[in-house]
Amino acid sequence: MVGLTPVEQRAPGQWQIGTVSGVKQETPRVKSFRIELPMWMPHLPGQHYDVRLTAPDGYRAQRSYSVASSPLDDGGVELTIDRLDDGEVSPYFHDVVVEGDQVELRGPFASYFVWRGEAPALLVGGGSGVVPLMAMLRHRRRATPELAMRLVYSVRSAEEVIYADELGDDTLLTFTRETPEGWAGHTGRIDSSLIAEMAADADIAFVCGSNAFVETAVGLLLEAGLRPSRIRTERFGPSG
Ligand SMILES: Cc1cc2nc3c(=O)[nH]c(=O)nc-3n(C[C@H](O)[C@H](O)[C@H](O)COP(=O)(O)OP(=O)(O)OC[C@H]3O[C@@H](n4cnc5c(N)ncnc54)[C@H](O)[C@@H]3O)c2cc1C
């Protein structure tokens, strides 16, 4: 294991008011928000923040969002949010929040779904589950590019690819619903041959997505020979 940055696990900070300094439309229903934090502290790739909205009548809604940025981007975090039409918090971010707005956050949280420099690492993401994996990929590219890390990213169609302009040779995309014209790469859901090939040298795997996606991916990773203790999972399931 290699020391990446002087990032150590610490207790999460207190609630703080961050300022949105940039908004990027990633796909028709996904936006990334760069939020500057007055009490920023370095996070470990994979960790998340809690975001809290308070209505004028005092009603509060709180949700978790993974950090997409590397801790080397100091002073703030990037959160990437998928808009759920019938949701409470994600449509607020999409329809209301603009550059210069203030939002309340607390973090970073989690000690299990974090990448601490283990390699070779295989990242397996479905849909917006790619967000914490992107923090790992971005951080590894900048801090320790020599470490082996690959991303398998399952997405419905080309227009739903988040971070499209940043995906390189370290990423294998598979399209599950609509294949772009001229696409010669993988299509369909992740399957045993794809995961067996990608996991051949992997010492650790990080899986993130919906409950169903995570279940499938873990089954395939076990079949490919990874030990359960080397498979870390994060589920973006309904908040209930
Ligand atoms: C550790 C962690 C990290 C997360 N990171 C991210 C992230 O980086 N980006 C991101 O977009 N989301 C992330 N999520 C999910 C996020 O916390 C919210 O659950 C999501 O944004 C929905 O909130 P909402 O208020 O808009 O919808 P809600 O009002 O909570 O739900 C609206 C409806 O959608 C259903 N629902 C809720 N969540 C989901 C979901 N994830 N998928 C499908 N249906 C759902 C609910 O059952 C309900 O029917 C993360 C969740 C966890 C636990």
Side-chain angles (χ1 to χ4, degrees):
M1 201 181 293
V2 180
L4 284 175
T5 52
V7 179
E8 284 166 22
Q9 187 75 38
R10 305 187 214 178
Q14 295 307 304
W15 285 105
Q16 56 180 313
I17 306 289
T19 304
V20 177
S21 61
V23 181
K24 181 181 180 196
Q25 186 89 44
E26 300 276 3
T27 76
R29 39 170 266 204
V30 174
K31 281 183 180 177
S32 289
F33 301 83
R34 167 81 188 174
I35 303 172
E36 306 305 325
L37 297 173
M39 297 186 289
W40 178 84
M41 65 167 86
H43 58 274
L44 289 160
Q47 287 191 302
H48 66 268
Y49 270 69
D50 282 350
V51 173
R52 181 163 81 174
L53 304 180
T54 307
D57 65 0
Y59 171 78
R60 275 184 168 155
Q62 187 176 317
R63 301 286 184 273
S64 301
Y65 292 103
S66 302
V67 181
S69 46
S70 158
L72 294 175
D73 284 332
D74 58 3
V77 290
E78 181 185 310
L79 306 182
T80 299
I81 302 183
D82 190 1
R83 187 184 195 288
L84 299 185
D85 291 338
D86 58 345
E88 220 170 14
V89 173
S90 61
Y92 175 85
F93 267 87
H94 275 258
D95 306 344
V96 178
V97 173
V98 292
E99 210 174 306
D101 282 356
Q102 297 196 314
V103 288
E104 203 177 6
L105 295 94
R106 184 173 180 214
F109 289 101
S111 57
Y112 161 77
F113 193 79
V114 292
W115 181 61
R116 291 186 166 87
E118 302 97 329
L122 176 62
L123 317 179
V124 186
S128 57
V130 73
V131 178
L133 307 179
M134 196 57 185
M136 298 177 192
L137 206 59
R138 282 172 166 167
H139 192 52
R140 170 239 160 211
R141 284 176 182 166
R142 287 173 63 177
T144 54
E146 70 284 2
L147 291 192
M149 179 181 274
R150 297 200 72 192
L151 167 67
V152 175
Y153 180 17
S154 171
V155 69
R156 282 186 283 223
S157 63
E159 72 161 16
E160 292 196 16
V161 179
I162 310 173
Y163 316 123
D165 52 354
E166 282 186 58
L167 303 177
D169 290 346
D170 44 16
T171 302
L172 184 148
L173 266 173
T174 184
F175 294 102
T176 58
R177 293 218 183 138
E178 255 175 67
T179 308
E181 232 181 272
W183 175 250
H186 206 276
T187 56
R189 294 180 174 211
I190 53 168
D191 57 26
S192 49
S193 64
L194 173 67
I195 293 295
E197 184 194 328
M198 297 296 284
D201 306 319
D203 175 55
I204 190 163
F206 292 88
V207 181
C208 186
S210 65
N211 285 322
F213 180 84
V214 170
E215 291 302 318
T216 304
V218 168
L220 296 172
L221 287 164
L222 290 171
E223 237 177 73
L226 251 90
R227 281 174 290 133
S229 61
R230 304 306 285 164
I231 305 173
R232 308 270 163 92
T233 59
E234 183 91 282
R235 294 153 197 265
F236 286 4
S239 48

